[in-house]
Amino acid sequence: MIIRFQGRDGQFRLNVEAKDQISSILPQVTEKLSKDVDPTSITISPKPHGAEAHTIVSLGNATFQQLGVQHGAQIFIDYRQQPAVANGHTADTPTNARRLNGASIPIEDSVSIIAPSISGDTPSRLSRPWEVVQQSPLDDRLDREDGKITRPRDLKMCRHGPKGMCDYCMPLEPFDAKYLEDKKIKHVSFHGHLRKVNQSKNKPELGASYMPPLSEPFYRVRTDCPSGHKPFPAGICSKCQPSAISLQPQTYRMVDHVEFASPNLINTLLDFWRTSACQRLGFLYGRYEEYPEVPLGTKAVVEAIYEPPQVDEVDGVSLNDWENETDIDEIARLCGMQRVGVIFTDLMDAGAGDGTVVCKRHIDSYFLASLEVVFASRFQAKYPRPTKWSDTGRFGSNFVTCIVSGDEEGQIGIAAYQASNSAVEMVQADIVEPSADPSLMLVQNEAEDKELGRIRYIPEVFYRRINEYGANVQEEAKPSFPVEYLYVTLTHGFPTESKPAFRQANALANGFPVENREVLGQSQEPRALAKALDVNGKFGATLEGDAGNKVSDFHMLCFIYGLGILSKDEFTVLCRIATTHDNADKMQLQHSSGWATLVTILQESGERPPKRPSPFAKNMNAYENASHLSDGTERFAKRRHYDSLN
């Protein structure tokens, strides 16, 4: 019987018998395909989209008759290419390279360079994400809320009784444009946007099946194209190529407000700039809470700022390798926090001598530079927001970017931003790149990539603007477009009554040194820890009562964790003491062996005890000019002088 095979390289036929084993056709199928196909990866499927696919090797002794394959049946095949071959050697076998002096390079010293993916990975679609995706407890709580904006009875327009309702007093939706405009709320909250999209996409009264209302933008060539052609760049069609991008300002934001638990968090960061005149960057650690000022809003509460290894300059910051990044995230998790954003300074002294700074960011220049948009987009892509209302199980990100810079009055101010979802995807797809002009974002050029030996597909990018005649026109972004299309602004502030989780956040003076500030002569050492804990003081390193507040410092917790003296359980208790200040935990840690070992080490190698004051200190001026005898009787002469004074 004849069986038809269809794949990305085309179609072919094979003559087989019903009792033949399926694995016996592998050499014939491999002969029909290109030479770089991996035979063990060849799969066959009765459906064109690859459903119920099995590798030919895994079918073993199964025959065509057992699988129900009949004469004239069509089978769809798929496969993977083998690693690229260069000069007769595979990518896994390095060639015999030599150095300039003729010596051969050992295999362990050779470095393989892997080019980045052209199209990227296509996100997997979930059929029922609301059953498998685990989102944050805050999102679950906001999903259960009604979200309607209640209004009192209008005394002028309402003609009904106290229990009635009309168009003038009925509750409003959380995305009502007029209400947000009256309250001067610039963007809809994420859950408000979710309700709006869900109402337009799903209509239960029609009896239609439920569809996830949210869908992330995707501007890369899809690798799972169902057309059956060769993957890009060998083949492309309208089903796998991205559509043209029409940029519009994002009307919603994932986080509405950034709240710093204490003003001293910002002052500690600013101390570096005040001392060195160089910029500084730190990561924000805290939690997400409900923000009642915006309907169904979310706010990021910042409890600590960790400053990673970096090279600080007058006009920017360069990040170094952060070796203990996972450890710091774990410490934050034990304290009930997570990484919520990043903050950096962009300050320049005005030179007036009154503490004013230069205003760089204003309406006539820029607010968020194109390089900063790319920087924020990469971190937002690294920390996506899980949600069960998206077909991919995630949508956007809660990661925020804060900038400390000069305002129009010359004072130091804070601004909070988030890159739009379109910006994050355009950065991931490598469609845009920052320009020398901070207010413009450049679009990549395919012609330039071909000159560099790279092949990729870059969709067309359009944006709308008001031209010189006052008309709203659409223009193509060649070669650039304004960066304002790629970010949204957030509000920020401080609580009315500061109650930070870390008590030392309110005690800026005499605190434990901040990490990675050796350039200022400030280093985290056992001596500094002994001084902060006052291990040689009157009460020693006790944790009872208010003395336990000494360990309520995130920088100190990170340093103690790096010492490796406390066990995992003991350090977990220490983190609870630092944040919850529970007396039972203080007693438990106070009598643990790990804490006793830490105190002993600090007492031996840490801060030295202060010298006792001399009982004769008040009479020091009386014998300052005592004679220093060369025969070693100076002490005797002083003692006689003391006796005469008494």
PDB file of all heavy atoms in Angstrom, residues 259-263 493-500:
ATOM      1  N   GLU A 259       5.119  53.268  47.592  1.00  0.00           N
ATOM      2  CA  GLU A 259       5.169  53.850  48.934  1.00  0.00           C
ATOM      3  C   GLU A 259       6.454  53.416  49.629  1.00  0.00           C
ATOM      4  O   GLU A 259       6.718  52.219  49.768  1.00  0.00           O
ATOM      5  CB  GLU A 259       3.957  53.406  49.749  1.00  0.00           C
ATOM      6  CG  GLU A 259       3.929  53.957  51.169  1.00  0.00           C
ATOM      7  CD  GLU A 259       2.733  53.470  51.955  1.00  0.00           C
ATOM      8  OE1 GLU A 259       1.599  53.852  51.591  1.00  0.00           O
ATOM      9  OE2 GLU A 259       2.928  52.689  52.908  1.00  0.00           O
ATOM     10  N   PHE A 260       7.250  54.394  50.038  1.00  0.00           N
ATOM     11  CA  PHE A 260       8.472  54.126  50.786  1.00  0.00           C
ATOM     12  C   PHE A 260       8.138  54.138  52.275  1.00  0.00           C
ATOM     13  O   PHE A 260       7.579  55.113  52.782  1.00  0.00           O
ATOM     14  CB  PHE A 260       9.546  55.162  50.453  1.00  0.00           C
ATOM     15  CG  PHE A 260      10.012  55.095  49.024  1.00  0.00           C
ATOM     16  CD1 PHE A 260       9.403  55.875  48.052  1.00  0.00           C
ATOM     17  CD2 PHE A 260      11.042  54.254  48.652  1.00  0.00           C
ATOM     18  CE1 PHE A 260       9.824  55.827  46.735  1.00  0.00           C
ATOM     19  CE2 PHE A 260      11.472  54.193  47.340  1.00  0.00           C
ATOM     20  CZ  PHE A 260      10.865  54.979  46.377  1.00  0.00           C
ATOM     21  N   ALA A 261       8.501  53.061  52.970  1.00  0.00           N
ATOM     22  CA  ALA A 261       8.107  52.909  54.372  1.00  0.00           C
ATOM     23  C   ALA A 261       8.713  53.979  55.258  1.00  0.00           C
ATOM     24  O   ALA A 261       8.123  54.335  56.284  1.00  0.00           O
ATOM     25  CB  ALA A 261       8.497  51.519  54.876  1.00  0.00           C
ATOM     26  N   SER A 262       9.872  54.518  54.895  1.00  0.00           N
ATOM     27  CA  SER A 262      10.530  55.537  55.714  1.00  0.00           C
ATOM     28  C   SER A 262      11.309  56.488  54.805  1.00  0.00           C
ATOM     29  O   SER A 262      11.930  56.041  53.831  1.00  0.00           O
ATOM     30  CB  SER A 262      11.472  54.884  56.725  1.00  0.00           C
ATOM     31  OG  SER A 262      12.229  55.864  57.415  1.00  0.00           O
ATOM     32  N   PRO A 263      11.321  57.789  55.103  1.00  0.00           N
ATOM     33  CA  PRO A 263      12.132  58.720  54.301  1.00  0.00           C
ATOM     34  C   PRO A 263      13.624  58.432  54.392  1.00  0.00           C
ATOM     35  O   PRO A 263      14.377  58.788  53.481  1.00  0.00           O
ATOM     36  CB  PRO A 263      11.792  60.090  54.902  1.00  0.00           C
ATOM     37  CG  PRO A 263      10.482  59.906  55.583  1.00  0.00           C
ATOM     38  CD  PRO A 263      10.481  58.501  56.088  1.00  0.00           C
ATOM     39  N   GLY A 493       4.991  58.199  47.273  1.00  0.00           N
ATOM     40  CA  GLY A 493       4.850  58.981  48.489  1.00  0.00           C
ATOM     41  C   GLY A 493       5.325  58.212  49.706  1.00  0.00           C
ATOM     42  O   GLY A 493       5.899  57.117  49.599  1.00  0.00           O
ATOM     43  N   PHE A 494       5.077  58.802  50.871  1.00  0.00           N
ATOM     44  CA  PHE A 494       5.458  58.217  52.153  1.00  0.00           C
ATOM     45  C   PHE A 494       4.216  58.123  53.028  1.00  0.00           C
ATOM     46  O   PHE A 494       3.284  58.927  52.880  1.00  0.00           O
ATOM     47  CB  PHE A 494       6.525  59.071  52.841  1.00  0.00           C
ATOM     48  CG  PHE A 494       7.788  59.229  52.043  1.00  0.00           C
ATOM     49  CD1 PHE A 494       7.946  60.299  51.165  1.00  0.00           C
ATOM     50  CD2 PHE A 494       8.815  58.310  52.155  1.00  0.00           C
ATOM     51  CE1 PHE A 494       9.100  60.448  50.432  1.00  0.00           C
ATOM     52  CE2 PHE A 494       9.983  58.454  51.421  1.00  0.00           C
ATOM     53  CZ  PHE A 494      10.123  59.521  50.561  1.00  0.00           C
ATOM     54  N   PRO A 495       4.170  57.181  53.948  1.00  0.00           N
ATOM     55  CA  PRO A 495       2.994  57.075  54.826  1.00  0.00           C
ATOM     56  C   PRO A 495       2.903  58.253  55.783  1.00  0.00           C
ATOM     57  O   PRO A 495       3.908  58.888  56.124  1.00  0.00           O
ATOM     58  CB  PRO A 495       3.233  55.746  55.568  1.00  0.00           C
ATOM     59  CG  PRO A 495       4.713  55.559  55.534  1.00  0.00           C
ATOM     60  CD  PRO A 495       5.171  56.145  54.229  1.00  0.00           C
ATOM     61  N   THR A 496       1.693  58.542  56.203  1.00  0.00           N
ATOM     62  CA  THR A 496       1.489  59.644  57.143  1.00  0.00           C
ATOM     63  C   THR A 496       2.196  59.379  58.464  1.00  0.00           C
ATOM     64  O   THR A 496       2.842  60.258  59.039  1.00  0.00           O
ATOM     65  CB  THR A 496      -0.013  59.858  57.384  1.00  0.00           C
ATOM     66  OG1 THR A 496      -0.668  60.049  56.121  1.00  0.00           O
ATOM     67  CG2 THR A 496      -0.252  61.067  58.274  1.00  0.00           C
ATOM     68  N   GLU A 497       2.108  58.148  58.934  1.00  0.00           N
ATOM     69  CA  GLU A 497       2.804  57.724  60.146  1.00  0.00           C
ATOM     70  C   GLU A 497       3.737  56.586  59.778  1.00  0.00           C
ATOM     71  O   GLU A 497       3.282  55.503  59.406  1.00  0.00           O
ATOM     72  CB  GLU A 497       1.806  57.286  61.211  1.00  0.00           C
ATOM     73  CG  GLU A 497       2.451  56.938  62.544  1.00  0.00           C
ATOM     74  CD  GLU A 497       1.424  56.556  63.592  1.00  0.00           C
ATOM     75  OE1 GLU A 497       0.219  56.638  63.275  1.00  0.00           O
ATOM     76  OE2 GLU A 497       1.823  56.176  64.698  1.00  0.00           O
ATOM     77  N   SER A 498       5.022  56.845  59.855  1.00  0.00           N
ATOM     78  CA  SER A 498       6.009  55.869  59.407  1.00  0.00           C
ATOM     79  C   SER A 498       6.122  54.720  60.403  1.00  0.00           C
ATOM     80  O   SER A 498       6.470  54.923  61.571  1.00  0.00           O
ATOM     81  CB  SER A 498       7.381  56.547  59.226  1.00  0.00           C
ATOM     82  OG  SER A 498       8.343  55.608  58.819  1.00  0.00           O
ATOM     83  N   LYS A 499       5.808  53.507  59.945  1.00  0.00           N
ATOM     84  CA  LYS A 499       5.949  52.284  60.742  1.00  0.00           C
ATOM     85  C   LYS A 499       6.635  51.216  59.897  1.00  0.00           C
ATOM     86  O   LYS A 499       6.001  50.264  59.448  1.00  0.00           O
ATOM     87  CB  LYS A 499       4.586  51.795  61.224  1.00  0.00           C
ATOM     88  CG  LYS A 499       3.915  52.710  62.232  1.00  0.00           C
ATOM     89  CD  LYS A 499       2.594  52.124  62.708  1.00  0.00           C
ATOM     90  CE  LYS A 499       1.928  53.033  63.732  1.00  0.00           C
ATOM     91  NZ  LYS A 499       0.628  52.451  64.196  1.00  0.00           N
ATOM     92  N   PRO A 500       7.920  51.383  59.628  1.00  0.00           N
ATOM     93  CA  PRO A 500       8.610  50.406  58.771  1.00  0.00           C
ATOM     94  C   PRO A 500       8.773  49.071  59.472  1.00  0.00           C
ATOM     95  O   PRO A 500       8.785  48.979  60.710  1.00  0.00           O
ATOM     96  CB  PRO A 500       9.966  51.076  58.507  1.00  0.00           C
ATOM     97  CG  PRO A 500      10.185  51.963  59.699  1.00  0.00           C
ATOM     98  CD  PRO A 500       8.825  52.448  60.103  1.00  0.00           C
TER      99      PRO A 500
END
